Amino acid sequence: MDPDYLLNLNPVQREAVEHPGGPVLVVAGAGSGKTRVLTHRIAWLIEQGISPFEILAITFTNKASNEMKRRVVDLVGEVAEAMWVSTFHSACVRILRREAGKLGIRSSFSIYDKGDSERLVKLCLKDLNLDPKRVPPRAVLAVVSDAKNKLTNAGVFGDFARNPWEKTIARVYEEYQRKLEENSALDFDDLIMRCVELFDRFPEVLDYYQNRFQHVLIDEFQDTNGAQATWARMIAGKWRNIFVVGDVDQGIYAFRGATIKNLLDFERDWPEARVITLEQNYRSTKTILRAANAVIEHNVARKPKELWTELPEGDPVVRYRAQNEHDESLWVAEEVGKLREHGQRLEDVAVFYRT
């Protein structure tokens, strides 16, 4: 008899949840129940006899990981507490704390946030007699972060530096890494890059974690960067039970090194992959979906899908072409005033700006 929690899934969601094994790409449109699919997939695996110790679930925020674990516990009970549900960075920290000695770093290493990293770059610029006005610390950090997200260390970056700016960055990058090591510290991007290095240099460590995690599930796969996708391919490489959920149309973190290419190339990296598309939307009205589909269909690189809903038509979309920013803000204020007059609470109104 089916567990009660499977009864609230639609047929496509259930197909994803009950997939027998191997690589799966779930293309999940906005509001299509992707979190439900992920949590039910984990619960179903546990119901099938897979130990929670053998399941690794990756999300993008600590809040999301806590919420996912809570939902799984609600479905199958306290046994799910043993699972690793974490962000990429948290998972890598746990691995590196245990294996740090192999890389020549202390297991008690510090983790530098952006503020710490910026202060360290300023110190590097001072020691290298570089003017922070001509070589802005934030610009340096952005380039270094991008390099690490592509698994490019300081030595390789220096080898391929072509122009004076890149050669200057290479000098700072090298000094920055030297000072991090001197302080027994890793920055946020190091956590994944050094973990990939660990797996690459020590096959026995990779083998341990591959055997430990026989099922790997990843949320928001469109927001992964190159280093994260490589890490996922490595840790799931033995059992090939990798289950990713994502939507190219919702990729918003390119400025942080994320690339939708990881999702678009999933079938190339995992040729036997099953692709399942969730198109039923439970959140928006028909009018909203028609408008969204009309805009999204012009995206050049995407997995095709057409969101639909059983919800009513809803209110029409209104577009107002303002003469200037003052006219625009006045119109918005008047519209909010009308909503308030009709009993709408102000905390239920959102105003979005481009910048």
Side-chain angles (χ1 to χ4, degrees), residues 17 22 45 48 51 67 72 88-89 148 183 220 236 299 348:
V17 166
L45 288 171
Q48 299 308 299
S51 167
E67 173 67 13
V72 176
F88 278 102
H89 295 93
K148 291 183 177 184
N183 296 337
E220 307 288 8
N299 289 0
D348 292 336

Side-chain angles (χ1 to χ4, degrees), residues 303-344:
K303 291 277 186 185
K305 66 178 184 305
E306 188 78 14
L307 293 177
W308 62 276
T309 185
E310 292 178 345
L311 295 176
E313 283 291 322
D315 296 330
V317 175
V318 177
R319 183 173 72 96
Y320 178 74
R321 186 170 182 177
Q323 295 177 19
N324 52 47
E325 65 269 28
H326 303 293
D327 181 27
E328 180 182 53
S329 57
L330 183 62
W331 181 82
V332 169
E334 287 175 347
E335 288 299 304
V336 172
K338 290 176 189 174
L339 290 169
R340 194 178 189 183
E341 287 171 11
H342 285 87
Q344 190 74 53

Side-chain angles (χ1 to χ4, degrees), residues 50-168:
I50 302 297
S51 167
F53 286 101
E54 297 173 348
I55 299 172
L56 171 65
I58 298 292
T59 63
F60 265 79
T61 65
N62 290 322
K63 182 181 178 182
S65 64
N66 292 335
E67 173 67 13
M68 183 177 290
K69 180 172 277 193
R70 185 190 64 76
R71 288 200 195 187
V72 176
V73 169
D74 288 345
L75 291 172
V76 297
E78 297 299 319
V79 66
E81 291 285 0
M83 275 184 57
W84 273 33
V85 183
S86 68
T87 64
F88 278 102
H89 295 93
S90 296
C92 288
V93 168
R94 290 180 74 169
I95 293 169
L96 288 170
R97 292 278 186 217
R98 172 176 169 157
E99 311 288 350
K102 290 184 171 63
L103 294 175
I105 54 180
R106 293 207 305 262
S107 60
S108 59
F109 60 83
S110 303
I111 300 171
Y112 278 17
D113 61 19
K114 283 195 173 180
D116 298 323
S117 294
E118 198 170 324
R119 284 188 286 274
L120 191 61
V121 167
K122 287 177 181 176
L123 187 60
C124 293
L125 294 176
K126 183 179 179 183
D127 289 351
L128 294 170
N129 293 315
L130 293 170
D131 182 357
K133 290 181 180 177
R134 300 187 66 180
V135 188
R138 286 189 182 180
V140 172
L141 269 180
V143 177
V144 169
S145 177
D146 184 62
K148 291 183 177 184
N149 289 336
K150 293 173 180 171
L151 299 176
T152 305
N153 62 32
V156 173
F157 187 91
D159 291 341
F160 286 89
R162 295 181 301 275
N163 54 51
W165 169 250
E166 289 180 356
K167 289 175 180 176
T168 299

Side-chain angles (χ1 to χ4, degrees), residues 5-9 17 35-45 72 75:
Y5 65 79
L6 292 179
L7 301 178
N8 64 353
L9 300 174
V17 166
T35 305
R36 176 186 294 179
V37 166
L38 269 172
T39 53
H40 283 58
R41 171 69 175 174
I42 295 167
W44 184 82
L45 288 171
V72 176
L75 291 172

Side-chain angles (χ1 to χ4, degrees), residues 184-242:
S184 190
L186 301 178
D187 68 17
F188 216 52
D189 298 308
D190 276 329
L191 296 175
I192 295 171
M193 187 171 80
R194 297 304 300 270
C195 201
V196 169
E197 178 192 345
L198 175 73
F199 288 165
D200 192 45
R201 287 176 53 193
F202 301 94
E204 70 280 8
V205 175
L206 175 60
D207 188 59
Y208 171 81
Y209 287 101
Q210 283 180 335
N211 285 320
R212 166 76 192 269
F213 299 118
Q214 296 186 22
H215 287 268
V216 178
L217 301 94
I218 303 174
D219 194 11
E220 307 288 8
F221 198 67
Q222 78 279 352
D223 289 328
T224 54
N225 58 40
Q228 290 165 338
T230 298
W231 184 88
R233 282 196 300 273
M234 295 177 88
I235 207 162
K238 180 172 183 177
W239 298 100
R240 304 185 73 78
N241 291 321
I242 182 168

